[in-house]
Amino acid sequence: MNEDTSASTDPRGERSGRREQNKAENRTALLKAARAVFAEMGSGAASVRDIVRRTDLASGTFYNYFKDKDEIFEAVVGELTGELLKRHRQGRGQARTAEEFCRKHYAVYFDFIVEDPELLAMAQKNFTAIRTLLDKPDVRALALALNEDIRAAIAQGVLPNVDVSYLAASLAGIAFEVSVVMVARDPVDPAGATEFATRLMLGGLPHLPRRSPA
């Protein structure tokens, strides 16, 4: 009688699958713990020990996944960047007017920062550290996507045919610097920040909303 091996499994394959699953779970646990620690303490004050203490992992396990605190901070920011890229594709990537392009660019960015209290706290405590990562591949992807979206919008007649690099730098620079001020205010006002940045980009100083006299 021939043995039916259709339901049999390779023990080596099962062990390999479990190892890969454990590795993925460990890395996820470390990233989650790091995000919480950076939100509470800031990257400058935090240590690898602080991060590992938030997990059930042995202290040495950290170094199987990350070289040091700076590397896991970069990975945390990289994960957030990936989510932000998705939202930009659904936001400014679908814009049909110049105003809609600018408004969605800013609204997606500002709303993303403030919608999660932990992310907001991380932004408040780590902008200086985040600034040092702007040329890293994961974060640089945001600038590359913005350039691509601008070129596509110009080709479709949504935006005027202007210098793509200058426009991208202006949009990104305003978004980042306004967000630094926005998260320091109480209450945090992403709608107000979006309105200010959009009007500034579209019309310059004459089109900015006026404040009441102090």
Side-chain angles (χ1 to χ4, degrees), residues 155-177:
Q156 296 164 11
V158 173
L159 293 176
N161 189 13
V162 298
D163 188 299
V164 172
S165 297
Y166 280 163
L167 180 57
S170 299
L171 283 161
I174 290 172
F176 186 83
E177 297 301 336

Side-chain angles (χ1 to χ4, degrees), residues 28-182:
T28 297
L30 287 167
L31 287 169
K32 182 178 179 181
R35 180 170 155 170
V37 168
F38 292 140
E40 290 180 18
M41 305 175 64
S43 63
S47 68
V48 169
R49 180 176 296 180
D50 293 320
I51 295 168
V52 175
R53 282 174 176 169
R54 298 293 182 96
T55 73
D56 295 326
L57 303 175
S59 58
T61 304
F62 177 93
Y63 298 99
N64 293 332
Y65 301 90
F66 302 101
K67 180 177 64 177
D68 52 26
K69 179 185 69 174
D70 291 340
E71 187 169 82
I72 196 170
F73 182 76
E74 183 178 338
V76 169
V77 174
E79 276 198 340
L80 297 172
T81 297
E83 176 59 27
L84 190 54
L85 279 170
K86 294 178 187 176
R87 299 191 186 197
H88 276 313
R89 280 193 287 268
Q90 298 164 1
R92 68 177 183 234
Q94 307 300 318
R96 293 296 173 261
T97 67
E99 179 176 356
E100 188 179 6
F101 186 97
C102 293
R103 193 173 295 279
K104 287 191 173 185
H105 170 73
Y106 293 123
V108 163
Y109 185 71
F110 298 146
D111 289 343
F112 178 70
I113 292 172
V114 305
E115 70 180 18
D116 180 344
E118 186 175 79
L119 179 53
L120 175 59
M122 185 174 167
Q124 290 168 330
K125 290 185 172 65
N126 296 280
F127 263 118
T128 299
I130 292 171
R131 196 188 298 275
T132 67
L133 301 179
L134 294 181
D135 285 328
K136 295 290 185 179
D138 284 341
V139 182
R140 185 65 182 160
L142 284 174
L144 295 175
L146 177 55
N147 275 264
E148 291 172 3
D149 287 346
I150 290 172
R151 290 192 183 94
I154 290 173
Q156 296 164 11
V158 173
L159 293 176
N161 189 13
V162 298
D163 188 299
V164 172
S165 297
Y166 280 163
L167 180 57
S170 299
L171 283 161
I174 290 172
F176 186 83
E177 297 301 336
V178 168
S179 70
V180 173
V181 177
M182 178 190 73

